[in-house]
């Protein structure tokens, strides 16, 4: 098993998280925004699991399972929404969705 | 073992960087799968084999397949790739890049200003995770079940196809 400093692991998860954050800010295609949100969730889960195995508790892994459940539900609803939006606006540009009315 | 961690971390960071810069969505998705597999390797060496398996099966297996199917249904072609390339030109990266770099700097400062203890990994078996999940976190499991139910209903409702009306006289007969 690894014996690196815990901070290195947390640093990795921070780097991945802020890469996902940058993706959400920069990309205009809504599918890429959803993918970047997935990256952020995964990075948060990485921090949970590393901290959990540092203290030898199963709680971090349990929290990762909850994050996984949440990500699955979020993606299924989000992709259904994207399909509907594409049907209405014929575009994936998040700027074109400002004409949304009732 | 430490070398494995560093190699997997490098692969994860590089492939995540490629995800947020690619213009073609299928390429980005494939790099995202590589990134998830690298993170799964990190889980494995960090003493969480059950979570590593879940990451491969659910994240890289199920969720990414959902993405692929939606990208197939949206039928993105060469023209969307060209449009993406126009959207991603140089200057757009400056503002968000600086802001998220500042936030990341703050985060790393907070992390590294603490005491630097070494990660002493004690492998946690799936049994311990299961016992903890179904005793201490039972309420959380039930809430997750409700969340999944809401997800199913929401996806069904949103994904429903409306019936096409061929002529306005036939509108009432369809109902």
């Amino acid at each position: 098993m690894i014996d690196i400093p815990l901070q290195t692991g947390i640093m990795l998860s921070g780097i991945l998280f802020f890469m996902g954050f940058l993706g959400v800010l920069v990309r205009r295609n809504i599918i890429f925004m959803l993918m970047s949100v997935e990256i952020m969730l995964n990075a948060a889960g990485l921090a949970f699991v590393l901290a959990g195995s540092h203290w030898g508790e199963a709680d971090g892994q349990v929290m990762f399972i909850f994050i996984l459940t949440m990500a699955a539900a979020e993606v299924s609803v989000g992709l259904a929404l994207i399909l509907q939006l594409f049907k209405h606006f014929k575009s994936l540009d998040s700027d074109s969705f400002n004409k949304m009315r009732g | 073992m430490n070398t494995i961690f560093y190699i997997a971390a490098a692969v994860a960071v590089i492939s995540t960087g490629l995800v947020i810069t690619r213009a073609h969505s299928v390429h980005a998705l494939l790099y995202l799968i590589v990134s998830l597999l690298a993170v799964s390797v990190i889980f494995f060496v960090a003493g969480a084999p059950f979570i590593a398996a879940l990451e491969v099966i659910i994240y890289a297996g199920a969720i990414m397949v959902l993405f692929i199917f939606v990208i197939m249904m949206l039928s993105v072609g060469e023209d969307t790739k060209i449009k993406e390339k126009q959207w991603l030109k140089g200057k757009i990266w400056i503002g968000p890049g600086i802001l998220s770099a500042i936030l990341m700097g703050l985060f790393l400062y907070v992390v590294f200003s603490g005491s630097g203890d070494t990660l002493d990994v004690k492998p946690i078996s799936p049994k311990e995770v299961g016992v903890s999940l179904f005793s201490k976190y039972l309420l959380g499991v039930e809430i997750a079940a409700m969340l999944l139910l809401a997800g199913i209903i929401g996806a069904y409702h949103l994904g429903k196809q409306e019936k096409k009306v061929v002529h306005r006289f036939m509108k009432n007969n369809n109902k």
Side-chain angles (χ1 to χ4, degrees):
Chain A
M1 292 292 127
I2 50 175
D3 54 345
I4 52 158
L6 177 61
Q7 289 160 340
T8 315
I10 301 294
M11 184 183 82
L12 171 66
S13 103
I15 289 172
L16 289 180
F17 185 89
F18 283 104
M19 275 178 151
F21 182 62
L22 182 64
V24 174
L25 289 181
V26 168
R27 304 305 297 242
R28 285 174 65 178
N29 189 327
I30 196 153
I31 285 189
F32 281 94
M33 289 167 80
L34 205 58
M35 266 151 68
S36 304
V37 171
E38 287 302 305
I39 294 172
M40 287 165 76
L41 285 173
N42 194 43
L46 176 64
F48 267 116
V49 171
L50 284 177
S53 62
H54 176 61
W55 278 288
E57 297 282 342
D59 300 7
Q61 302 192 18
V62 170
M63 212 50 81
F64 184 84
I65 294 175
F66 287 148
I67 290 177
L68 204 65
T69 314
M70 205 270 289
E74 176 236 329
V75 160
S76 61
V77 175
L79 287 175
L81 270 174
I82 288 176
L83 282 179
Q84 288 292 332
L85 285 171
F86 187 74
K87 223 192 286 175
H88 276 274
F89 296 102
K90 299 278 172 264
S91 156
L92 288 173
D93 182 7
S94 53
D95 274 3
S96 72
F97 299 149
N98 59 0
K99 298 181 199 71
M100 201 154 30
R101 282 195 188 83
Chain B
M1 277 310 218
N2 284 357
T3 334
I4 295 178
F5 173 83
Y6 288 118
I7 293 171
V11 170
V13 170
I14 292 169
S15 57
T16 308
L18 287 169
V19 170
I20 60 172
T21 50
R22 288 306 92 181
H24 200 292
S25 43
V26 175
H27 296 174
L29 205 62
L30 293 175
Y31 280 121
L32 184 55
I33 292 176
V34 172
S35 160
L36 292 174
L37 291 179
V39 173
S40 150
V41 169
I42 292 172
F43 285 149
F44 195 76
V45 295
F50 180 53
I51 293 301
L54 276 188
E55 172 103 359
V56 173
I57 294 168
I58 298 181
Y59 251 120
I63 296 179
M64 293 302 123
V65 167
L66 264 183
F67 269 104
I68 285 187
F69 268 107
V70 168
I71 289 172
M72 275 160 55
M73 284 165 86
L74 297 182
S75 64
V76 284
E78 283 296 309
D79 45 337
T80 43
K81 196 173 139 194
I82 295 163
K83 219 194 286 173
E84 273 298 315
K85 276 200 176 134
Q86 282 174 352
W87 285 345
L88 282 180
K89 275 210 179 103
K91 247 187 354 195
I92 200 169
W93 289 91
I94 297 172
I98 291 172
L99 290 177
S100 51
I102 290 172
L103 282 177
M104 189 168 77
L106 289 177
F107 177 82
L108 294 182
Y109 173 74
V110 172
V111 166
F112 280 99
S113 62
S115 62
D117 39 356
T118 310
L119 185 70
D120 51 340
V121 170
K122 308 163 198 75
I124 297 163
S125 62
K127 188 181 167 188
E128 285 173 69
V129 180
V131 167
S132 176
L133 185 65
F134 286 108
S135 60
K136 215 157 103 188
Y137 291 98
L138 191 60
L139 187 65
V141 173
E142 292 184 6
I143 294 172
M146 272 188 254
L147 180 72
L148 283 176
L149 180 67
I152 291 173
I153 295 172
Y156 172 73
H157 177 71
L158 290 171
K160 220 167 26 181
Q161 301 269 349
E162 277 177 33
K163 268 190 187 157
K164 272 204 183 117
V165 178
V166 187
H167 192 273
R168 61 195 159 91
F169 292 142
M170 295 166 75
K171 209 170 185 177
N172 292 326
N173 297 341
N174 279 341
K175 283 191 179 164

